[in-house]
Amino acid sequence: MIKNIFGRVRFAFKREEPYSHLKKILGFSPIDLEIYKLALRHRSSNTNRPKDKLYNNERLEFLGDSILSSVVSDIIYHEFPEQREGELTTLRSKLVQRDTLDKLAVEIGLQPLIMSNNKGRNNNEGHINGNAFEALIGAIYLDRGYAYCKKFMLKLIREQKLDMQRLSRWEINFKSKFIEWTQRRKVTYRFDHTPVSNDTNKTIVSFQAKLYVEDILVGEGMGKSKKEAEQKACNEALSTIKRKSFKVQLNQIKPDVSTI
């Protein structure tokens, strides 16, 4: 209680933009304003800080990615009581995918607050807005905790900034998005399919698909058909290719490939 009051009092002395705009976006007053500044600092803004490579939002983006997934899972579990596990997983993927977060960041007015030297570039190349949104979630979590992260996401849903009903009806083709990524970077990929048989009569009941990029395993999926298994493998791959560990591996194999 005292912490919350102190946060509001301290914020009252920072009425100038962009701080008041940030409060409007959040729906509450930040306590630790510095962590929000860090959340909105893209690594490209570090050109004059070579000795301070960690002074950007990448660590907060990593944290926010996990917290956002948990919060969205929590919300859709209660909002869609009739949906099965697979349907909930697909809906969560739609809600937290980069394209959705990019648009959401622009919709709530976050884009002008982002400190970046790459704002003029194609958003599909860097997803600067969506990454900043994830970092913002990480900042909210550290500043206020899980409950405020959920409150913030529910606010966006209530204000119709995030239309879950529309997204629940929107079919997303993970394989198409993954192939587009490989084509832009001129890397090779392949699927390995393994049929899964019934133990009783050896009838094939499902398929497992493993997806490789330049012989690096990036995704696995199970489905009643090869097509379904491939879609699930591609969904997992779209998360894998964002990880730093994958980028390091790919760079060792193809140093000329852009992993941005």
Side-chain angles (χ1 to χ4, degrees):
M1 179 67 180
I2 294 175
K3 184 179 180 183
N4 290 348
I5 293 173
F6 176 74
R8 288 196 296 270
V9 170
R10 188 173 69 173
F11 199 91
F13 291 97
K14 293 190 176 288
R15 292 295 185 188
E16 71 275 12
E17 291 287 355
Y19 307 113
S20 58
H21 184 54
L22 178 62
K23 179 183 177 181
K24 183 179 179 181
I25 291 173
L26 296 173
F28 57 86
S29 298
I31 294 174
D32 183 359
L33 191 58
E34 292 304 313
I35 201 166
Y36 292 92
K37 289 182 181 179
L38 185 61
L40 298 172
R41 183 180 290 278
H42 185 258
R43 68 175 182 270
S44 65
S45 65
N46 283 4
T47 52
N48 297 322
R49 308 174 68 99
K51 296 181 180 180
D52 198 4
K53 296 181 180 178
L54 292 179
Y55 195 64
N56 59 59
N57 63 6
E58 289 182 340
R59 281 171 54 82
L60 283 172
E61 179 193 336
F62 163 79
L63 176 62
D65 179 49
S66 298
I67 300 300
L68 181 62
S69 181
S70 297
V71 168
V72 169
S73 296
D74 188 348
I75 292 172
I76 64 175
Y77 176 83
H78 292 95
E79 290 291 323
F80 297 89
E82 303 301 321
Q83 299 273 27
R84 297 180 179 178
E85 182 267 344
E87 295 169 326
L88 292 174
T89 299
T90 300
L91 177 56
R92 180 181 62 194
S93 297
K94 295 174 183 177
L95 289 165
V96 302
Q97 69 162 320
R98 280 296 185 274
D99 287 349
T100 301
L101 299 183
D102 284 335
K103 293 174 184 176
L104 185 57
V106 173
E107 179 71 19
I108 66 177
L110 191 65
Q111 187 179 27
L113 304 183
I114 300 172
M115 292 170 279
S116 167
N117 292 331
N118 294 335
K119 285 187 179 180
R121 70 190 297 173
N122 186 333
N123 192 45
N124 289 330
E125 292 180 5
H127 294 291
I128 292 173
N129 298 327
N131 293 345
F133 183 88
E134 284 188 335
L136 181 68
I137 295 295
I140 296 171
Y141 176 73
L142 293 178
D143 184 48
R144 291 287 196 154
Y146 177 88
Y148 268 77
C149 292
K150 184 177 178 180
K151 178 181 178 181
F152 175 61
M153 292 303 296
L154 287 171
K155 171 179 175 288
L156 300 185
I157 294 168
R158 186 171 61 251
E159 294 175 351
Q160 297 186 331
K161 305 292 187 184
L162 193 61
D163 191 339
M164 292 200 304
Q165 293 295 337
R166 180 183 63 80
L167 285 170
S168 69
R169 298 188 296 269
W170 175 39
E171 290 298 325
I172 182 169
N173 191 329
F174 297 114
K175 185 175 180 180
S176 176
K177 289 177 67 66
F178 173 77
I179 292 174
E180 287 175 11
W181 179 87
T182 63
Q183 290 173 340
R184 287 199 303 270
R185 283 152 184 80
K186 295 181 173 58
V187 294
T188 61
Y189 71 92
R190 77 172 196 276
F191 288 99
D192 284 352
H193 301 98
T194 304
V196 180
S197 303
N198 186 305
D199 291 335
T200 305
N201 55 22
K202 304 302 180 183
T203 302
I204 296 175
V205 293
S206 61
F207 291 88
Q208 180 189 46
K210 290 186 177 182
L211 175 56
Y212 296 85
V213 170
E214 300 291 344
D215 291 326
I216 303 170
L217 179 64
V218 293
E220 297 182 55
M222 294 285 293
K224 293 180 180 179
S225 66
K226 290 182 179 180
K227 181 178 179 181
E228 182 182 351
E230 288 180 356
Q231 282 286 341
K232 291 182 178 179
C234 288
N235 184 16
E236 183 176 296
L238 290 171
S239 295
T240 302
I241 60 179
K242 296 186 297 183
R243 295 173 189 158
K244 187 174 181 179
S245 57
F246 166 76
K247 294 177 182 180
V248 170
Q249 280 184 283
L250 183 59
N251 221 253
Q252 290 173 345
I253 298 172
K254 298 195 71 174
D256 58 327
V257 173
S258 169
T259 56
I260 296 175

